[in-house]
């Protein structure tokens, strides 16, 4: 008896929220797979990735929401990855192709990496194909009509959930800093950038491509406000200081 074929896992980036920012390749994969898995909130089942990609998924395709808790508790996270990876593995081992959709790019601050790792730990040997997506910071730079990097410049991408003082250290050697997940310590991040010895501009963009989209050329305008989870900042050192 021949061994059943294992399905292919596609990790698909669906862009930051505007359904027009999916790539042709992402749409093609969503049209062809048998099952679409989407990370969702364990509280209310909401999935931004699914909302973004929904119109490209045929009615006949099975959709499975995978609850991923927003917590730092390593044990809780590990358990969620293991349970969700097991659901994916089951489908792949039945010979079905599946897509795991993520917001932005799947390899940039995404649960997809942990999921792939867990699948390997669980002994899953399925072929994995990653389809890159437009990152939120590329969409933000486009909204601002501002280059991210030019000429000999450098760019670092950091998580705003870390220590805000880290931004001071990074600003000493990078011309541009993208701060993802800026929501949690927004005011401290703005204050850190304001206190840098090198003058910088700092813009903030929230909910790009979504009904609540907000673009602030000067992030300081939002100080004191509760900014949404989908907020990122772009810090740029002033050019004349570098020459
Ligand atoms: C878990 S990360 C996901 C990043 C995503 N994989 C990417 O490639 O852009 C979540 C963070 O991405 C940023 N983000 C994602 N979508 C966004 C949007 N539509 N508008 C603004 N920021 C967004 C925010 O900084 C948010 O806190």
């Amino acid at each position: 008896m021949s061994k059943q074929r294992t399905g292919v896992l596609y990790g698909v980036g669906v862009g930051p929220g505007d359904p027009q920012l999916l790539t042709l390749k992402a749409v093609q994969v969503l049209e062809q797979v048998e099952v679409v898995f989407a990370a969702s909130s364990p509280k209310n089942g909401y999935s931004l990735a699914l909302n973004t990609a929904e119109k490209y998924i045929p009615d006949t395709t099975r959709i499975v929401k995978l609850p991923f808790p927003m917590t730092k508790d390593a044990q809780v996270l590990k358990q969620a990855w293991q349970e969700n990876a097991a659901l994916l593995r089951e489908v792949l081992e039945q010979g079905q192709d599946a897509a795991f959709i993520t917001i932005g790019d799947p390899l940039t601050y995404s649960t997809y990496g942990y999921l792939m790792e867990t699948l390997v730990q669980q002994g899953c040997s399925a072929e994995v194909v990653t389809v890159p997506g437009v990152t939120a910071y590329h969409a933000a730079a486009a909204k601002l009509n501002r280059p991210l990097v030019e000429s000999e410049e450098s760019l670092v991408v950091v998580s705003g959930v870390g220590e805000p003082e880290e931004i001071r250290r990074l600003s000493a050697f990078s011309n541009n800093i993208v701060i993802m997940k800026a929501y949690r310590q927004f005011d401290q991040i703005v204050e850190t950038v304001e206190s840098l010895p090198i003058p910088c501009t700092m813009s903030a963009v929230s909910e790009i491509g979504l009904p609540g989209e907000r673009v602030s050329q000067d992030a300081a305008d939002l100080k004191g406000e509760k900014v949404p989870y989908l907020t990122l900042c772009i810090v740029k050192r002033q050019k004349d200081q570098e020459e």
Side-chain angles (χ1 to χ4, degrees):
M1 209 170 74
S2 65
K3 192 175 172 282
Q4 180 161 357
R5 161 192 182 270
T6 305
V8 177
L9 169 64
Y10 294 90
V12 180
V14 300
D18 176 347
Q20 292 199 309
L21 284 184
L22 268 87
T23 63
L24 292 175
K25 192 160 188 169
V27 171
Q28 193 189 65
V29 168
L30 293 177
E31 282 169 354
Q32 84 189 31
V33 293
E34 278 122 322
V35 188
V36 172
F37 288 90
S40 67
S41 155
K43 284 190 193 140
N44 54 17
Y46 178 74
S47 168
L48 176 58
L50 189 56
N51 271 21
T52 307
E54 209 157 27
K55 71 176 196 181
Y56 303 109
I57 304 172
D59 293 342
T60 48
T61 305
R62 189 176 149 219
I63 295 175
V64 182
K65 287 186 182 175
L66 299 178
F68 279 97
M70 288 257 285
T71 174
K72 279 187 178 170
D73 186 325
Q75 257 324 96
V76 176
L77 283 172
K78 199 170 169 199
Q79 194 180 336
W81 294 328
Q82 273 171 355
E83 287 171 5
N84 290 332
L87 289 173
L88 249 160
R89 193 160 49 89
E90 201 181 306
V91 164
L92 297 169
E93 285 173 358
Q94 281 166 3
Q96 295 187 307
D97 293 342
F100 177 70
I101 56 173
T102 69
I103 268 301
D105 174 70
L107 298 174
T108 305
Y109 291 127
S110 167
T111 45
Y112 173 60
Y114 302 113
L115 207 60
M116 278 197 295
E117 218 174 280
T118 312
L119 279 170
V120 171
Q121 283 163 6
Q122 292 185 357
C124 179
S125 58
E127 183 189 348
V128 177
V129 177
T130 303
V131 180
V134 175
T135 68
Y137 64 89
H138 284 102
K143 275 284 158 203
L144 293 157
N145 289 320
R146 212 178 274 173
L148 271 176
V149 264
E150 289 178 304
S151 187
E152 310 295 312
E153 287 182 7
S154 55
L155 170 73
V156 295
V157 181
V158 292
S159 162
V161 173
E163 187 48 58
E165 275 303 306
E166 175 72 355
I167 294 164
R168 185 182 309 282
R169 195 180 67 78
L170 293 171
S171 70
F173 62 84
S174 182
N175 310 79
N176 304 286
I177 308 175
V178 166
I179 307 166
M180 305 288 276
K181 307 182 202 174
Y183 66 101
R184 201 181 290 168
Q185 311 185 84
F186 187 81
D187 284 5
Q188 293 99 305
I189 291 170
V190 174
E191 279 156 22
T192 305
V193 173
E194 282 174 341
S195 72
L196 294 176
I198 306 165
C200 295
T201 61
M202 181 178 182
S203 39
V205 183
S206 300
E207 303 191 345
I208 317 157
L210 297 161
E213 179 178 289
R214 193 162 171 197
V215 179
S216 305
Q217 298 286 345
D218 185 358
D221 293 344
L222 304 183
K223 248 166 95 175
E225 288 188 31
K226 186 168 168 25
V227 299
Y229 168 69
L230 294 177
T231 298
L232 65 87
C233 297
I234 301 179
V235 179
K236 294 184 85 66
R237 282 197 329 218
Q238 266 179 27
K239 278 190 180 167
D240 52 351
Q241 299 295 313
E242 294 148 18
E243 285 150 6

